[in-house]
Amino acid sequence: MRLSTRAQYAVRAMVDLSLYSEGRPVSLKEISRREEIPLNYLEQLFFRLKKGQIVTSVRGPGGGYVLARQESAIKVGEIVETVEEQLSPVACLDEGDRSCRRGARCLTHTVWQGLGERIKGFLDSITLADLTREARTRPAGGGDNEKGVCQPTG
Amino acid sequence: MRLSTRAQYAVRAMVDLSLYSEGRPVSLKEISRREEIPLNYLEQLFFRLKKGQIVTSVRGPGGGYVLARQESAIKVGEIVETVEEQLSPVACLDEGDRSCRRGARCLTHTVWQGLGERIKGFLDSITLADLTREARTRPAGGGDNEKGVCQPTG
DNA sequence: ACATACCTTACTATAATTGTCAAGTATGCA
DNA sequence: TGCATACTTGACAATTATAGTAAGGTATGT
Ligand code: FES
Ligand code: FES
């Protein structure tokens, strides 16, 4: 039941982008340095995030990425769903799956279905604004992890 | 965010055990045949389930496994937690993890923590009795999956 | 004794994930 | 125009986790 590190990275990167962008584009190089995420890996993530219309890109020197919408209109659930292949706990919940008959026949299906709904519901109840608001009111104290995010390995 | 098939198997097997046991022990061979789960794999699962004190075993001919408690006292969350290595969505939530400092510093931690609590809370709100009750009131109609469970691959 | 059925460890194959590499395209600026 | 920046995209290797197999052992009822 682990979240992929991709998803954790993506949320961290989005928080970083949101915190450091003041209207201007933020380059992946910056994010990579601050968050200690491999640049090439970030590129893959943002490729997906762009397709998911969560960010837009500006090419060329001085370019980078910008939020596609306001912080308050970007849900954590969206970010996770965009970079993860599937957010649902079991395969039969996915769109287009026909391998087992649902409905009244399957006892356990409703359990996993309910679980999936809770997960999505919870993650969709939190926006980027919720996360950055906290960071802004709390001026970065010292320490090696000053912006308040951490490695997914721990 | 996928549940392991181990967990799905385990819940299915426990439902099966619960449905077919009428006080007497149920052998893994039976469950294996009905649920089409490899016997050796079931043995591994029940090894864990026994350690988790969810079932007890009776050895020798005519032996098998019995629920350690009443159906209504066995939560789905317990079963999943017992056979999965970890139920929490990120590593830093696990017991004994010291790799990153929690508390006020980490912005995203509270999100994953909240998520983990929802997941566990939901799965703990459902008991084996909830699942079998439904099956008992609905006398097995024909079909190839008569007891109302299905393969995790679909 | 013998058959049943649980107990336990070890191992392998397969898939998913993580992360790297490399080559390309668009753009701003001197 | 030429160059540096930085996004774009696909392919791929390394690592890890999972699923499943195998085999031998132990307890117990008949
Ligand atoms: S149909 Fe979804 S778990 Fe059975
Ligand atoms: S301390 Fe848990 S996610 Fe950062």
Side-chain angles (χ1 to χ4, degrees):
Chain A
M1 222 34 201
R2 277 279 153 88
L3 209 63
S4 66
T5 73
R6 259 213 304 279
Q8 295 178 60
Y9 277 149
V11 175
R12 276 174 63 202
M14 288 297 293
V15 170
D16 183 286
L17 168 56
S18 196
L19 277 175
Y20 285 93
S21 168
E22 286 137 358
R24 79 180 164 85
V26 179
S27 73
L28 292 188
K29 209 164 156 190
E30 270 184 73
I31 300 179
S32 167
R33 190 173 49 246
R34 277 195 298 262
E35 302 292 334
E36 295 174 39
I37 301 172
L39 178 59
N40 289 323
Y41 204 35
L42 268 185
E43 289 176 336
Q44 284 182 40
L45 294 184
F46 275 81
F47 179 46
R48 294 173 192 237
L49 291 172
K50 193 192 173 186
K51 273 204 300 186
Q53 310 200 340
I54 292 176
V55 297
T56 56
S57 66
V58 179
R59 303 182 77 152
Y65 286 92
V66 190
L67 298 184
R69 276 162 277 148
Q70 286 187 308
E71 285 180 335
S72 57
I74 297 178
K75 306 172 204 162
V76 172
E78 275 183 292
I79 301 173
V80 173
E81 209 163 25
T82 300
V83 299
E84 290 252 343
E85 262 72 52
Q86 61 274 324
L87 186 50
S88 59
V90 297
C92 67
L93 292 172
D94 289 340
E95 206 60 49
D97 188 286
R98 290 277 85 213
S99 52
C100 81
R101 44 232 154 284
R102 306 185 172 69
R105 170 96 343 125
C106 182
L107 288 172
T108 51
H109 186 80
T110 55
V111 177
W112 312 133
Q113 187 172 33
L115 179 60
E117 281 162 12
R118 303 302 170 105
I119 291 173
K120 181 144 176 50
F122 177 70
L123 292 180
D124 276 350
S125 73
I126 302 171
T127 70
L128 262 191
D130 295 325
L131 296 178
T132 56
R133 183 182 313 123
E134 203 185 337
R136 282 195 241 270
T137 57
R138 174 216 312 168
D144 52 350
N145 201 354
E146 44 173 83
K147 277 304 168 189
V149 281
C150 68
Q151 299 299 346
T153 45
Chain B
M1 224 33 202
R2 275 280 152 88
L3 209 64
S4 66
T5 72
R6 258 214 303 282
Q8 295 178 60
Y9 276 151
V11 175
R12 275 174 63 202
M14 287 297 292
V15 170
D16 182 287
L17 168 56
S18 197
L19 277 176
Y20 285 92
S21 168
E22 286 137 358
R24 78 181 164 87
V26 178
S27 73
L28 292 187
K29 208 165 157 191
E30 269 183 75
I31 300 178
S32 168
R33 189 174 48 246
R34 277 194 298 260
E35 302 293 333
E36 294 173 42
I37 302 172
L39 177 60
N40 288 325
Y41 204 36
L42 267 184
E43 287 177 335
Q44 284 182 40
L45 294 183
F46 275 80
F47 179 45
R48 293 173 193 235
L49 291 172
K50 193 193 172 185
K51 272 204 301 188
Q53 310 199 341
I54 292 175
V55 297
T56 56
S57 66
V58 178
R59 304 183 75 153
Y65 287 93
V66 190
L67 298 183
R69 277 163 276 148
Q70 286 187 308
E71 284 180 335
S72 58
I74 297 179
K75 307 172 204 161
V76 172
E78 275 184 292
I79 300 173
V80 173
E81 209 164 26
T82 300
V83 298
E84 290 252 345
E85 262 73 49
Q86 62 273 326
L87 186 49
S88 58
V90 298
C92 69
L93 292 172
D94 289 339
E95 205 60 51
D97 188 284
R98 289 277 88 213
S99 52
C100 80
R101 43 234 155 285
R102 304 184 173 71
R105 171 99 336 126
C106 181
L107 289 173
T108 50
H109 185 81
T110 54
V111 177
W112 312 134
Q113 188 172 33
L115 179 60
E117 282 162 11
R118 304 300 170 107
I119 291 173
K120 181 145 174 51
F122 176 70
L123 292 180
D124 277 350
S125 74
I126 302 170
T127 70
L128 262 192
D130 295 325
L131 296 178
T132 54
R133 183 181 315 121
E134 203 186 335
R136 281 194 243 270
T137 57
R138 175 215 312 165
D144 52 350
N145 201 355
E146 43 173 84
K147 276 306 170 188
V149 282
C150 68
Q151 299 300 345
T153 45

